[in-house]
Amino acid sequence: MRQETALDSVPRPPNGFLSALSASDFELIRSHLRTVELNPDMVLVEVDEVLKRAYLPHKGAISLIVKLARGEQVQIAMVGRDSIFGAFAALGDPTALNCAVVLVPGIASTIELDQLRLAADQSATLRRALARHGLAVHAQIQQTAGCNASHTVESRLARCLLHTRDLSGSDKIVLTQEAMAQMIGARRNSVSLVAHTLQQADFIHYSRGHIEITNHDGLMKTSCECYATVKAQYTRLIQRCESVTA
């Protein structure tokens, strides 16, 4: 009990994955954590490259992107302050299946994947935590695929803005039209028209890539059910993860 109390007194970076770890699991990786800046449009890994580090944002958001042969780029998921990028890579094959780019700038803890893998080999609870966070991202990818195929551009943009707000922790977001087009799998001119519609409804204020969410409830009503579905799946997986590691 004394050892656990001492370990719990160690300050932790403000990231949901790290804060949910037991004291002993956190101690396995504590000395290997480093802090880095997440600069705008920073490429963390390209598809087919070997991912060497996991990232745990304190603020900001990482976009997972699929690049198509004709040059199109579509966002399939986002990782923010409540999770980790590189969870499945730490448990299996580190070869990236998609590109990872900083969507919203911020700060993150980072750890070499080899060190995270060694720690996971020593702890079943840490392995379960990594698996559940990986599954949460997988659930988001599945829902995004269905959403982009079936729902209107307006509802998809509302969903992505709400999700970005949750991950970044701010109502004020800097997003280019190109980034928003990637988020919802649409053309830039469609994004411009829909962003204007949301602004006319007083749900957002939008000017030269600077977005402020001014009416959260209105944006919620505009969004499709995918926002709530992903949030519910994520909460279920993370809450279960926290109860297991506690």
Side-chain angles (χ1 to χ4, degrees), residues 112-202:
E112 291 185 7
L113 214 58
D114 288 344
Q115 294 293 345
L116 182 57
R117 188 176 296 113
L118 285 172
D121 287 343
Q122 299 176 58
S123 170
T125 53
L126 179 55
R127 290 196 299 274
R128 284 196 292 268
L130 288 167
R132 286 194 166 272
H133 277 261
L135 283 171
V137 174
H138 182 65
Q140 187 186 155
I141 291 171
Q142 290 188 137
Q143 197 71 32
T144 299
C147 183
N148 287 349
S150 301
H151 295 149
T152 66
V153 174
E154 187 176 16
S155 63
R156 280 147 52 194
L157 182 58
R159 166 183 64 82
C160 287
L161 291 178
L162 289 168
H163 194 191
T164 305
R165 171 189 180 272
D166 291 345
L167 296 182
S168 66
S170 175
D171 284 325
K172 296 182 179 180
I173 309 165
V174 178
L175 289 173
T176 64
Q177 283 191 5
E178 182 179 0
M180 286 190 285
Q182 291 176 6
M183 291 171 75
I184 62 175
R187 297 185 180 277
R188 289 178 60 179
N189 59 345
S190 298
V191 169
S192 180
L193 291 171
V194 172
H196 179 72
T197 300
L198 294 178
Q199 180 163 259
Q200 288 293 104
D202 291 328

Side-chain angles (χ1 to χ4, degrees), residues 196-233:
H196 179 72
T197 300
L198 294 178
Q199 180 163 259
Q200 288 293 104
D202 291 328
F203 296 161
I204 65 171
H205 177 72
Y206 176 59
S207 177
R208 296 182 179 180
H210 292 263
I211 301 170
E212 181 178 3
I213 297 175
T214 55
N215 186 334
H216 180 267
D217 291 340
L219 212 56
M220 283 281 292
K221 292 177 182 177
T222 304
S223 173
C224 53
E225 77 270 15
C226 296
Y227 170 70
T229 299
V230 168
K231 195 167 185 176
Q233 290 281 19

Side-chain angles (χ1 to χ4, degrees), residues 18 59 66 83 92 109 182 198 201 205 218 240 242:
L18 293 175
K59 59 180 180 179
V66 168
S83 194
S109 291
Q182 291 176 6
L198 294 178
H205 177 72
R240 175 69 182 277
E242 291 175 353

Side-chain angles (χ1 to χ4, degrees), residues 80-100:
R81 58 181 178 157
D82 51 359
S83 194
I84 174 174
F85 169 60
F88 277 157
L91 297 173
D93 188 353
T95 302
L97 301 178
N98 48 258
C99 176

